[in-house]
Amino acid sequence: MENNGTAIQLSNISKYFGAKAQKEYALKDVSVSVRRGEVLMLMGPSGSGKTTLLSIMGCILKPSSGSIVIRGREISGFSQKQLGRIRLRHLGFIFQEYNLFPTLNVLDNVLVALDIRGMTGPKAKKQALTALGSVGMAPKALAMPDTLSGGQKQRLAIARSLAGRPSVILADEPTAALDSDNGRKVVELMRELAHEKNHSVVIVTHDPRAVKYADRLLTIEDGRISNSQNKHAAVGEDE
Amino acid sequence: MIYKIARQNLFHDGVRLCVTLTGIVFAVVLITVEIGLFLGFTHTISAVIDNSGADVWVTSRGVKNFDIALPLKEHKYYQALSIPEVKDAARFIIRFADWKKPDGLQESVEIIGFETEKSMGGPWNYVRGSNAMLDLKDAIIIDQLYMEKLGVSRLGEHVEINQKKARVAGYTRGIRSFTTSPFVFAALETASHYTHLEPDEFTYLLVKGKDGVHPKALKAALLRNINHVDVYTTEEFSEMTRKYWMFNTGAGTGLLIAAFLGLVVGMVVVAQTLYATTLDHIAEFATLKAIGAPNSYIYGILLSQATLSALLGYGLGILAASAISDMSHFSATVIMLPTTLKIIMFFLTLTMCVLSALISIRKVMRLDPALVFKGR
């Protein structure tokens, strides 16, 4: 069950690293909600805690304290194995360096994401081609990743993240390795996914050109949300 | 898909694949050849005993192996024949002797003397000649494998054994000697003449029991009736001789240690290269973990890589070992490669590669999926 269209709800999340005596806080008492169909951008200087926040949203990192609710389910007490299942079922990831499988062709890179979910055979192939088609990469299905441009690689990474039909897509600096034209295309594509296909998209970025595509912008400084700004429609309050 | 990722990971880097396969092939060939040599030696050591056709061997007291024994006196032979359980008994001689080649050079040989009219203790695998040829004066039979070593180029060639004339009357094929002194078969009287034994002396008594008499029962009967001798069933004597040469002398232990070292070296090479391949693809494994792949999925990739390496390495290794084994049949040292050994080697190679993959699995187990985020 989702609460009022909220895909992810983080409440009073803190995260520190190191032993008790030398605790180093990456996040302090952060609360964020991610709504369905919105593009939420996280900005802030290096070391501000935005990637830590993304990792916690992505169930990759466990918070030191606070609550995480994904699609109505409190998951803060979940084991790594259970968190893996949540990632598989609900989340899609896009990484700065694409993190493709260089030894597999474009289609197989997407099929891996489905294979992990237990989907194989013609059905998986059809779904993978649909995902590739949605990012304009279907004609390159048999190409190897090293023959693709940066923009194409990131579109392939988006197709891989879409293949499992997740409700939330988490992107870490998706335009950092791209030129401005390709960067713009990638962010446009992600906004399209949010607005037309109702995915929630969370983007960590340093790129000021990407800001105009956000529905909501959160600025993080020293592990705290310093500014929250609704760019378009009203989508809720964060602290 | 697991298999496809594993295969692509493996074949993507040709050089690393070559190194991995070289390690496995080296291990497979080394282990197979060493064990094949062990089996070959074991077979060679007891071949004359195993092919003797006797049920039981009577020896002088304290004999440790087939090749070296004190003589028995002829009355033991008649004592044996008088036992009701005995169907037949045959005297048998084995003694080291000097062989003088036609060119004057010397070799050491083992003279085997047997009663040609009885079906116990004689040569087998005749290529030329027969037992009957040995009834001719000074006739001997050697194995083709040792013709060059003994300087024999044709039938009828004259040589000297312990400074007495001998004539090559036939050949066998594949009767090897573990002691490196080739066997020379002769009739009992001829062998006695070459070996300086007294006319009433021989080395062993080979006994065959009547139908239905078990070798153990025959052995017991012989021990009851003949004093100051040891008695062994053929199986016991064969095993005793094998154990003596393979383990008391250290020859077999050496071969088994070399085989074990092959296994260790193979494992180290395979583990090292699989680990390096894992490190090469660590970002991909982290990505798989990040997107929610269970550990079993990643272990499946690593184990598939190990299994694929094992299959390729085993295939190439066993081909090479078979070629070496085939060539060895033309030499004095045979490398035996029975199907059972090939099957055992298959599973050993698989185990070796899978165990080698455990180091990589341990690395991936500890892998933090958060590695995928550059900012952290």
Side-chain angles (χ1 to χ4, degrees), chain A residues 17 51-52 54-55 60-61 84 87-88 93 95-97 99-104 108 111-112 115-116 160 172, chain B residues 1-2 4-5 8-9 12 281 283-284 287-294 297 368-370 372-376:
Chain A
F17 296 98
T51 302
T52 303
L54 190 77
S55 302
I60 285 173
L61 205 58
R87 294 200 292 272
L88 214 48
F93 293 90
F95 309 103
Q96 181 179 337
E97 298 292 335
N99 290 43
L100 301 173
F101 294 86
T103 59
L104 299 179
D108 286 337
L111 282 172
V112 170
D115 191 53
I116 293 167
R160 183 177 66 188
D172 183 39
Chain B
M1 187 53 77
I2 284 177
K4 195 169 197 175
I5 297 172
Q8 295 298 93
N9 280 356
H12 188 66
H281 297 279
E284 290 140 63
T287 304
L288 283 172
K289 277 190 125 175
I291 61 181
Y297 193 89
D368 182 0
V372 290
F373 293 124
K374 286 271 174 185
R376 276 203 63 243

Side-chain angles (χ1 to χ4, degrees), chain B residues 24-34 316-318 320-321 324 345:
Chain B
I24 300 170
V25 169
F26 173 77
V28 169
V29 171
L30 189 60
I31 298 167
T32 310
V33 167
E34 295 294 343
L316 294 170
I318 214 72
I324 295 169
M345 279 310 299

